[in-house]
């Protein structure tokens, strides 16, 4: 049990170009919390955005805040992973008992996020507390279409397919988890958007007791326009999930508990998370001969459906089942950094997202989320069936 008079927790916000007023408000809220000894804002680079946050932090006097730039630690694109790993490395060398991570752009961050995580760590002794929250039915399309399906296919029967936000950046890590992650070379190498996925896998496979805590109001953050705004994230999360394929399988008996499912707030149920029309246009734009060649190597029926997009958008065919086969093909062929593979993988993901958006997402929030959950169970069952256990 933590002594409430002696704060020992650290709260970390990796940031890049987020709205400064939102970042500053989150720094203030975290630093005012009685369990929090220090707050770190880890900048993607020493640039104007970092200077702006630094100057905003100087006006916050609730508690100590340090603003510094991330180090180059990993071997992939330098992104959020270097930020989280910089904080993990420094936290492992310091005396903090717990480390919280939060995305800097959350617009409804308040002390209840910290309370919820601290309470689960205090009461249940959890080394890992992951925040889970409702999101619009057309938001979280990387989570639903890439990360969760691949975890279900690769790790059926373990805790991984059941986690609501496997690429969520909102979590609490106990001291042992911080030390283990800071010395994990696979985690440290993942300097890009794939970091959350590999941390999720690492903490589960190390067997740390894990809790999922519900944030009832959902996570409010800036939504998207055309989905190419999150192209790099989609591709890097795809690569990260594929990279786990031959890695340790978490034991199916690891200690795991979660808050019970809760209803989503009503405004979230009517939010459309991205611009559908402009996104459809991305299906036909700029096919290179190399990308076309890769699409030609897909299984016959699928190949023609995919290639039809060179002339006109076509995506109805990309059902959950067809997407499952597509992920299998990507799993054995996709090459991060290869322009043609990246373009094709992104386009295939768009086809899947658009097929779902224009069909099941129209059924209404609860039916749509129920459908998405069922797809994950089906991928898991399919993998069991093929003996991937
Ligand atoms: C996801 O899919 O969870 C990403 O945050 C993009 O919405």
């Amino acid at each position: 049990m933590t002594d409430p008079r002696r704060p020992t927790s650290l709260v970390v916000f990796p940031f890049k170009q987020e709205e400064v007023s939102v970042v500053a408000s989150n720094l203030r809220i975290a630093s005012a919390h009685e369990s929090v000894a220090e707050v770190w804002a880890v900048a993607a680079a020493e640039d104007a955005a970092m200077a702006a946050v630094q100057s905003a932090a100087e006006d916050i006097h609730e508690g100590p805040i340090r603003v510094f730039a991330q180090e180059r630690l990993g071997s992939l694109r330098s992104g959020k992973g270097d930020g989280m790993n910089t904080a993990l490395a420094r936290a492992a060398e310091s005396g903090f008992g717990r480390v919280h991570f939060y995305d800097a752009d959350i617009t409804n961050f308040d002390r209840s996020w910290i309370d919820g995580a601290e309470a689960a760590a205090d009461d249940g002794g959890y080394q890992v507390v992951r925040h889970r929250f409702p999101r619009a039915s057309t938001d979280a399309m990387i989570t639903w279409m890439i990360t969760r399906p691949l975890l279900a296919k690769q790790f059926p029967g373990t805790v991984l397919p059941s986690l609501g936000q496997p690429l969520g950046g909102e979590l609490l890590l106990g001291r042992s988890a911080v030390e283990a992650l800071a010395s994990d070379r696979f985690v440290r190498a993942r300097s890009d958007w794939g970091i959350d996925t590999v941390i999720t896998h690492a903490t589960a496979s190390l067997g740390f007791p894990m809790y999922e805590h519900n944030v009832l109001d959902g996570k409010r953050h800036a939504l998207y326009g055309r989905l190419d705004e999150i192209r790099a994230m989609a591709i890097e999360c795809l690569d990260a999930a594929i990279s786990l394929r031959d890695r340790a399988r978490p034991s199916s008996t690891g200690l795991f508990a979660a808050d019970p499912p809760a209803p989503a707030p009503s405004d979230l149920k009517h939010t459309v998370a991205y611009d559908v029309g402009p996104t459809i246009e991305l299906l036909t734009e700029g096919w290179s001969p190399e990308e076309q060649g890769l699409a030609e190597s897909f299984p016959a029926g699928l190949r023609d459906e995919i290639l039809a997009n060179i002339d006109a958008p076509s995506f109805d065919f990309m059902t959950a089942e067809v997407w499952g086969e597509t992920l299998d093909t990507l799993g054995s062929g996709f090459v991060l950094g290869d322009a043609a593979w990246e373009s094709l993988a992104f386009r295939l993901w768009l086809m899947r997202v658009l097929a779902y958006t224009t069909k099941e997402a129209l059924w209404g929030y609860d039916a749509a989320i129920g459908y998405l959950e069922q797809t994950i169970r089906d991928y898991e069952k399919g993998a069991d069936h093929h003996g991937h256990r």
Side-chain angles (χ1 to χ4, degrees):
M1 185 91 175
T2 326
D3 178 347
R5 287 159 306 180
R6 280 187 51 240
T8 58
S9 293
L10 166 69
V11 176
V12 179
F13 293 94
F15 73 98
K16 190 174 182 184
Q17 300 283 349
E18 291 78 0
E19 179 64 46
V20 177
S21 61
V22 174
V23 181
S25 156
N26 293 341
L27 295 178
R28 183 187 300 279
I29 290 163
S31 65
H33 196 285
E34 65 278 6
S35 303
V36 175
E38 203 164 303
V39 175
W40 293 354
V42 185
E46 268 177 56
D47 56 8
M50 174 169 150
V53 168
Q54 216 150 19
S55 111
E58 280 161 19
D59 294 333
I60 302 173
H61 305 291
E62 277 80 350
I65 298 178
R66 291 178 54 208
V67 183
F68 54 89
Q70 67 191 35
E71 289 163 43
R72 180 63 175 134
L73 298 177
S75 52
L76 299 166
R77 185 186 64 80
S78 180
K80 185 186 178 192
D82 271 344
M84 289 186 79
N85 281 320
T86 298
L88 283 168
R90 295 192 188 186
E93 284 165 11
S94 65
F96 300 109
R98 294 172 181 161
V99 180
H100 295 241
F101 282 95
Y102 296 104
D103 282 358
D105 68 339
I106 306 175
T107 54
N108 64 328
F109 184 76
D110 62 20
R111 54 170 292 124
S112 72
W113 293 67
I114 299 175
D115 287 340
E118 291 278 332
D122 279 343
D123 303 344
Y126 292 96
Q127 272 294 310
V128 181
V129 183
R130 309 182 55 89
H131 292 288
R132 177 178 73 182
F133 30 81
R135 297 176 71 180
S137 63
T138 47
D139 191 8
M141 288 292 103
I142 302 173
T143 296
W144 281 116
M145 304 306 185
I146 293 178
T147 316
R148 293 195 64 189
L150 282 168
L151 292 177
K153 282 168 162 290
Q154 295 171 173
F155 301 101
T158 71
V159 66
L160 288 170
S162 339
L163 296 176
Q165 317 281 347
L167 59 88
E170 292 74 27
L171 73 170
L172 172 153
L173 300 168
R175 172 105 219 135
S176 317
V178 169
E179 284 171 4
L181 291 174
S183 60
D184 184 323
R185 286 163 62 188
F186 187 73
V187 170
R188 179 168 292 214
R190 196 82 226 184
S191 44
D192 63 6
W193 285 117
I195 186 66
D196 302 298
T197 311
V198 301
I199 284 183
T200 300
H201 172 267
T203 49
S205 60
L206 288 164
F208 288 118
M210 191 182 289
Y211 193 84
E212 273 196 315
H213 163 258
N214 282 346
V215 177
L216 297 175
D217 189 35
K219 171 184 164 186
R220 310 306 169 107
H221 61 112
L223 292 172
Y224 318 113
R226 266 191 349 185
L227 279 184
D228 54 348
E229 282 179 25
I230 51 172
R231 185 186 194 270
M233 192 191 289
I235 286 166
E236 292 169 6
C237 289
L238 171 71
D239 184 70
I242 293 172
S243 77
L244 299 175
R245 193 176 32 197
D246 300 320
R247 299 196 64 84
R249 193 186 129 86
S251 119
S252 32
T253 55
L255 183 57
F256 172 64
D259 284 344
S266 61
D267 66 310
L268 256 195
K269 295 188 172 186
H270 303 289
T271 303
V272 180
Y274 70 94
D275 295 340
V276 176
T279 296
I280 290 178
E281 289 166 20
L282 296 170
L283 293 177
T284 48
E285 277 173 13
W287 281 81
S288 68
E290 292 78 18
E291 182 180 356
Q292 204 168 318
L294 290 175
E296 272 157 18
S297 71
F298 273 61
L302 190 51
R303 176 187 62 209
D304 298 340
E305 303 271 20
I306 296 169
L307 288 169
N309 281 281
I310 293 174
D311 300 320
S314 162
F315 48 81
D316 289 348
F317 69 95
M318 195 59 95
T319 60
E321 201 185 339
V322 172
W323 178 240
E325 291 161 23
T326 306
L327 281 174
D328 293 341
T329 308
L330 287 171
S332 53
F334 175 75
V335 181
L336 184 69
D338 178 298
W341 265 118
E342 290 192 355
S343 179
L344 182 61
F346 174 63
R347 236 190 267 276
L348 293 168
W349 172 69
L350 291 180
M351 290 172 204
R352 174 63 193 132
V353 172
L354 287 162
Y356 157 76
T357 304
T358 53
K359 191 171 176 213
E360 290 87 2
L362 302 179
W363 296 346
Y365 183 86
D366 293 312
I369 297 294
Y371 162 83
L372 289 170
E373 275 296 348
Q374 188 55 47
T375 64
I376 305 303
R377 301 285 84 80
D378 291 345
Y379 291 132
E380 197 175 0
K381 261 191 251 139
D384 270 351
H385 193 69
H386 288 101
H388 292 187
R389 295 200 77 155

